[in-house]
Amino acid sequence: MPDVATPLVHAATDVLRANDRGERTVAAPRLYPHQWSWDAAFVAIGWGTVSVPRALDELRHLLRGQWATGMIPQIVFSAEPGYFPGPDRWRTQGLPTVPNDVQTSGICQPAVHSLAVWVIGEQARRNGGADAEAFDAFLADTFEAWFRWHAWLDDARGSHPSGLIEIHHPWESGMDNSPRWDAACARVRVGQMAPYVREDTKHVADVEQRPADADYDRYLWLVEQLVSVGYEDAAAREVIDFRVGDVFFTATHALSAAVLATMGDRLGRTAQARTLRGMAARARAAVAATADPETGHARDFDMRAEEWLRADTIGGFAALICGAEPDVYAALTSDLLGPDWCGHPRLANPLPPTTSPDSPAFVSRNYWRGPQWPVITWLFTWALRHHGHAEAAQTIATAGRNQLADGTFSEYYDAVTGAPLGSRNQSWTAAAALAWATDEES
Ligand code: 2M8
């Protein structure tokens, strides 16, 4: 627990406790009643500031859903109702690679898990005693599982000559309806499929905050395409309409594989650590190679159309997550803090918007098309500090904490008005508040 238990820390802890279902935390109380992959990683970081054993349980529960391939699925389902699409739409059960005692979706999300293990490990080390012991035992037990996750990404999703990790669904990016995917989504040809009813729009005040129905048609159609090949990796690469090299995902894989390598060395797993460092280096080089010659910002690559995807989004700053040459890193940091991004005069809070306010695709209140997401802000502050830019990290972290002072722990915030949007009491938003409080101590 942070030494200075501020009202914000108390309130954030209460959110996690209310969303706690024993060994897993719902991503949000009504909108997302299951365990999401990258949410669980951030949530575990938040729990780590409250209880290291509880943080480790969160990650262990997520790993119950890991496929035999090594993939960590986007959702580990619970029996709670109210979310669509559920297991009956994903139809993963009974497949040879899928665990038979847990229901999961059939895609993945950004690989921030080993980063979470690292952050929790640092907390455990600071706490010492039983927490340090529990962490060491956890790492020895689960190292192989995290290794297999990165190895699967590198192998099944990293074979394109660009070296970028490919995704087969916008949901795999975690930034579902980001303008990053507009051009690639426009190429998805929706075919015949069973009708469906959305649940998400029943849980938000205004449907304009969520993806459009046309987006959902594509999302569901891509699921059909994956079902048609039994989620087999090589076949999926052939049939899927949406096949994109995701630069932000690639950056999270690079960062996580690098910190997992360091933990592997400590465990004496030197050969695996070397392999992980190789993966991290390849992924980092792939991110660097995407830099737009004009702006220096990272780009995604459409592997179907074989063309770069240009969109002025937070994805452009992917290299800040995985690291880059010092001059490149410094230039990107200054851009992020400058008048086109955090310092843009239209913004209510000087924080990274998910899309540039100057982009024609910017919508200040629509999901990943403009709003600020506290958990993404936290990730950037952690990475900036990790890569030696503590001052920039502190500047953004201070603004990030101010944004959370409204106490709603919202999923995202209107970039222009500052209004809270999406779900209230979103677990990973509470986790970001807790992580910031502890970052200041470390
Ligand atoms: C959002 O995505 C889910 C699908 O995965 C949805 O809209 O139903 C995204 O913000 C994603 O990044 C996040 O992990 C998930 C749960 O918070 O919600």
Side-chain angles (χ1 to χ4, degrees):
M1 191 77 186
D3 286 343
V4 189
T6 62
L8 187 66
V9 165
H10 277 304
T13 308
D14 287 347
V15 169
L16 287 194
R17 293 219 162 99
N19 293 347
D20 187 6
R21 301 289 182 273
E23 297 174 313
R24 67 183 171 90
T25 308
V26 290
R30 292 166 64 239
L31 185 58
Y32 307 118
H34 309 293
Q35 190 184 35
W36 260 258
S37 169
W38 76 326
D39 297 58
F42 291 115
V43 166
I45 291 171
W47 274 124
T49 71
V50 177
S51 157
V52 167
R54 179 62 189 80
L56 302 178
D57 283 348
E58 190 74 30
L59 294 173
R60 272 201 196 90
H61 188 277
L62 182 70
L63 284 178
R64 287 179 52 199
Q66 186 172 29
W67 287 22
T69 55
M71 184 182 82
I72 295 181
Q74 166 226 19
I75 301 176
V76 175
F77 285 108
S78 68
E80 289 185 45
Y83 181 78
F84 177 85
D88 54 337
R89 199 83 191 193
W90 287 99
R91 288 158 281 168
T92 60
Q93 271 218 309
L95 295 174
T97 51
V98 179
N100 50 26
D101 54 343
V102 188
Q103 292 191 312
T104 77
S105 69
I107 57 172
C108 62
Q109 280 192 318
V112 288
H113 312 85
S114 305
L115 167 65
V117 175
W118 173 270
V119 175
I120 296 163
E122 293 293 288
Q123 179 73 49
R125 199 174 43 78
R126 286 197 296 277
N127 297 355
D131 282 350
E133 278 172 32
F135 178 80
D136 289 347
F138 170 85
L139 183 61
D141 278 358
T142 61
F143 177 82
E144 200 63 35
W146 308 120
F147 177 83
R148 289 197 305 113
W149 165 223
H150 289 290
W152 175 79
L153 286 170
D154 185 70
D155 177 39
R157 297 299 189 86
S159 61
H160 187 269
S162 65
L164 291 172
I165 298 296
E166 64 181 89
I167 60 168
H168 297 158
H169 197 296
W171 283 339
E172 295 203 302
S173 72
M175 302 188 186
D176 308 357
N177 70 341
S178 168
R180 295 168 69 192
W181 316 131
D182 286 358
C185 277
R187 287 188 263 272
V188 174
R189 293 278 156 259
V190 176
Q192 280 296 319
M193 59 181 167
Y196 64 91
V197 178
R198 289 176 66 171
E199 292 283 338
D200 59 311
T201 43
K202 299 177 188 164
H203 298 302
V204 289
D206 167 8
V207 296
E208 293 302 312
Q209 296 171 21
R210 293 285 309 174
D213 285 345
D215 294 323
Y216 260 73
D217 284 347
R218 294 188 193 102
Y219 299 159
L220 272 300
W221 174 246
L222 292 170
V223 172
E224 295 301 313
Q225 292 195 308
L226 293 169
V227 169
S228 77
V229 293
Y231 295 94
E232 205 279 310
D233 292 321
R237 289 196 292 270
E238 295 305 315
V239 304
I240 198 79
D241 279 352
F242 182 93
R243 186 179 173 211
V244 166
D246 176 337
V247 76
F248 193 85
F249 197 134
T250 308
T252 61
H253 165 61
L255 174 65
S256 281
V259 294
L260 188 61
T262 305
M263 292 187 280
D265 274 334
R266 288 183 194 156
L267 277 178
R269 313 253 189 152
T270 42
Q272 283 169 304
R274 203 175 315 118
T275 305
L276 285 163
R277 266 193 293 276
M279 292 179 199
R282 266 196 305 286
R284 215 172 17 241
V287 171
T290 69
D292 183 305
E294 279 166 37
T295 63
H297 291 195
R299 290 171 296 175
D300 302 295
F301 187 77
D302 188 330
M303 295 174 179
R304 277 275 164 268
E306 296 196 353
E307 63 186 39
W308 292 109
L309 293 166
R310 295 190 68 152
D312 259 353
T313 74
I314 194 69
F317 294 93
L320 294 183
I321 303 297
C322 63
E325 292 301 318
D327 53 333
V328 172
Y329 203 93
L332 278 173
T333 303
S334 131
D335 260 13
L336 184 66
L337 288 169
D340 293 340
W341 287 86
C342 292
H344 197 287
R346 287 187 66 198
L347 299 182
N349 289 290
L351 292 167
T354 40
T355 300
S356 158
D358 294 329
S359 160
F362 174 77
V363 185
S364 72
R365 57 191 287 104
N366 183 271
Y367 213 39
W368 291 94
R369 301 184 74 81
Q372 293 150 328
W373 287 68
V375 72
I376 297 297
T377 305
W378 178 81
L379 179 60
F380 275 104
T381 62
W382 191 90
L384 282 164
R385 190 192 287 245
H386 180 69
H387 295 299
H389 288 252
E391 204 179 311
Q394 192 54 48
T395 303
I396 299 176
T398 302
R401 293 180 69 179
N402 287 343
Q403 183 176 53
L404 299 186
D406 73 342
T408 63
F409 299 101
S410 291
E411 191 180 4
Y412 43 101
Y413 289 78
D414 189 312
V416 169
T417 68
L421 301 172
S423 176
R424 301 296 183 268
N425 298 325
Q426 178 90 7
S427 295
W428 67 9
T429 306
L434 292 170
W436 269 320
T438 309
D439 287 347
E440 284 182 6
E441 284 173 19
S442 57

